[in-house]
């Protein structure tokens, strides 16, 4: 039975991955900060799907948390989903630099280190997959968040190229707006965003699994966001930055 490790596993896209992968017959290793919620979710998934579920409480913004997950990955998994992440509610200069550094540790350092920890066992077996959850924001401009997600896309592409032919696939998932706890936790007012722009977490995960099976390096779920990203890539970067800035101020 294959094993998948998912970070940020108790909510949103991470929780959707746990349901999908348990339904596909994967044993699960769930990583999140909330010990009680993690334990409850592990028990629920085990009862519902009959698969083995391991709860691994870890805060990926800390050295101890990262080291614990690295150790578990060293034992080998078949699929790693680097999903843990968060947003900031304010403009760059209004967010404490400590909070921005924490974001970089979770979005960039954790993705790098956990990918590095998972790959040796995967390449030795000649199979495996890594999904690094980025965002459509990676192709636009929204302070440190979009910059960190752009790093995830670039990093994933570089690693995918290095392991090509090994049987291991690495992909960046770039969803648009998804109905999760993400925006509420970040204190963002999204009440003015049109309904047609919202995606479901289950649909995003389904699209990502199809794209991973097809060997795609970047997955952008839904035609509407593929179009948005395509248009963004055609526009001059300074114009994209101005548009992004206006949108960010409107929906902050």
């Amino acid at each position: 039975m294959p094993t998948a490790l998912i970070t940020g596993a108790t909510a949103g896209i991470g929780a959707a991955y746990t349901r999908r992968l348990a339904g596909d017959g994967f044993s699960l290793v769930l990583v999140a900060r909330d010990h009680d919620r993690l334990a409850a979710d592990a028990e629920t998934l085990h009862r519902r799907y009959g698969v083995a579920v391991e709860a691994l409480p870890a805060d990926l913004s800390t050295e101890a948390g990262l080291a614990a997950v690295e150790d578990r990955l060293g034992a080998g998994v078949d699929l790693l989903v680097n999903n843990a992440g968060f947003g900031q509610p304010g403009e760059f200069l209004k967010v404490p630099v400590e909070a921005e550094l924490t974001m970089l540790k979770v979005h960039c350092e954790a993705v790098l280190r956990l990918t590095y920890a998972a790959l040796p066992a995967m390449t030795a077996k000649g199979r495996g997959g890594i999904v690094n959850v980025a965002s459509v924001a990676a192709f636009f401009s929204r302070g440190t968040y979009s910059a960190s997600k752009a790093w995830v896309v670039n990093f994933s592409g570089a690693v995918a190229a290095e392991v090509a032919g090994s049987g291991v696939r690495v992909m960046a998932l770039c969803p648009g707006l998804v109905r999760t706890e993400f925006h509420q936790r970040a204190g963002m007012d999204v009440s003015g965003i049109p309904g047609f722009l919202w995606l479901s977490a289950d649909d995003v995960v389904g699209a990502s699994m199809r794209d991973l099976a097809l060997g795609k390096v970047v997955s952008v779920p839904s035609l509407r966001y593929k179009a948005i990203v395509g248009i963004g890539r055609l526009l001059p970067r300074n114009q994209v930055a101005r548009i992004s800035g206006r949108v960010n101020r409107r929906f902050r």
Side-chain angles (χ1 to χ4, degrees):
M1 180 178 292
T3 300
L5 186 148
I6 306 101
T7 69
T10 57
I13 293 174
Y17 268 111
T18 68
R19 296 189 297 270
R20 167 61 188 261
L21 295 171
D24 287 347
F26 278 77
S27 296
L28 303 178
V29 182
L30 311 184
V31 178
R33 293 180 300 171
D34 189 330
H35 183 281
D36 292 340
R37 187 173 181 180
L38 195 62
D41 286 358
E43 178 64 21
T44 298
L45 288 163
H46 173 65
R47 289 184 177 181
R48 180 175 179 182
Y49 296 99
V51 298
V53 185
E54 176 186 344
L56 177 54
D59 183 345
L60 298 183
S61 70
T62 68
E63 185 60 32
L66 278 171
V69 183
E70 284 176 316
D71 286 345
R72 178 59 185 84
L73 288 169
V77 300
D78 299 282
L79 178 65
L80 166 63
V81 180
N82 280 312
N83 167 72
F86 61 94
Q88 308 283 23
E91 297 175 8
F92 175 66
L93 290 178
K94 295 180 180 178
V95 176
V97 69
E98 294 81 8
E100 297 283 44
L101 290 171
T102 298
M103 175 176 282
L104 290 177
K105 192 170 186 73
V106 174
H107 289 184
C108 300
E109 182 179 342
V111 169
L112 184 153
R113 288 175 58 175
L114 300 188
T115 298
Y116 193 88
L119 277 175
M122 290 183 179
T123 54
K125 291 187 298 185
R127 67 178 188 278
I130 297 175
V131 177
N132 294 324
V133 179
S135 169
V136 161
F139 306 102
F140 297 93
S141 298
R142 191 189 183 279
T144 304
Y145 181 82
S146 65
S148 67
K149 293 303 186 180
W151 182 91
V152 171
V153 173
N154 198 318
F155 170 74
S156 301
V159 177
E162 287 202 21
V163 300
S166 69
V168 179
R169 294 175 176 177
V170 180
M171 184 183 78
L173 169 61
C174 300
L177 293 162
V178 185
R179 294 196 182 279
T180 67
E181 301 173 11
F182 177 89
H183 300 93
Q184 181 181 358
R185 288 182 173 182
M188 299 177 184
D189 179 9
V190 294
S191 58
I193 295 179
F196 73 90
L197 287 176
W198 291 98
L199 307 174
S200 79
D202 290 329
D203 288 345
V204 166
V205 168
S208 77
M209 294 302 291
R210 288 192 297 273
D211 287 345
L212 184 66
L214 291 170
K216 292 188 178 182
V217 176
V218 177
S219 172
V220 180
S222 89
L223 290 174
R224 75 203 77 162
Y225 281 107
K226 285 181 172 66
I228 290 170
V229 169
I231 292 169
R233 284 174 163 171
L234 292 174
L235 295 174
R237 292 187 66 85
N238 60 345
Q239 186 175 351
V240 171
R242 286 197 299 270
I243 295 170
S244 298
R246 288 198 295 269
V247 172
N248 291 338
R249 286 192 293 273
R250 180 178 179 186
F251 297 122
R252 195 175 302 286

